[in-house]
Amino acid sequence: MPGTRTTTGHFTFADWQERVIGPGEDANPRLAHASVRNTFSGGIEAAGTLCEYSIVYVTQKTGSFAGMELITGRLDGREGSFAVEERGWFGEDGTVHCTFEVVRDSGSGELAGLRGKGDFTACHGEATVAYRFEYELE
């Protein structure tokens, strides 16, 4: 992306509410839904973001997910909100690998026209996760 900026920081899981949708707790594959709140610091500053995930467990410990997150706060000092679409997978050791992209035309306030993508890797048991986000503003 021309004029691309890169910012980094961390986020913490403030709340994680997960429920199995079907076919059952011990069945594989099984579908689950999670509602999550995150708090971001660094280039993205936002508290209590709203995030919804659909999760497919292939085994008791492995699977993939897709989700949407609404982030309201600041990006490198600019105030507004934007949504990101997230996709990822998790392995036997509990490590989560995720990429995310700004939902087209979702930026508001000083973040109108925001485009970008990023990623994170969350290791099992760690409460704080580092992220990287590349973006540009029109």
Side-chain angles (χ1 to χ4, degrees), residues 63-136:
S64 66
F65 62 91
M68 300 294 243
E69 185 164 13
L70 179 58
I71 299 171
T72 301
R74 288 186 166 78
L75 170 60
D76 287 339
R78 294 177 184 88
E79 195 166 339
S81 64
F82 61 99
V84 294
E85 180 178 357
E86 302 179 13
R87 292 190 174 275
W89 60 277
F90 46 97
E92 190 72 33
D93 66 355
T95 301
V96 175
H97 306 270
C98 181
T99 60
F100 57 90
E101 186 169 350
V102 174
V103 174
R104 185 182 179 118
D105 298 325
S106 68
S108 70
E110 294 177 310
L111 301 177
L114 178 68
R115 294 183 305 192
K117 60 185 176 181
D119 59 70
F120 66 83
T121 300
C123 296
H124 182 70
E126 292 182 3
T128 301
V129 178
Y131 66 83
R132 183 184 58 79
F133 181 50
E134 295 178 350
Y135 71 93
E136 66 179 53

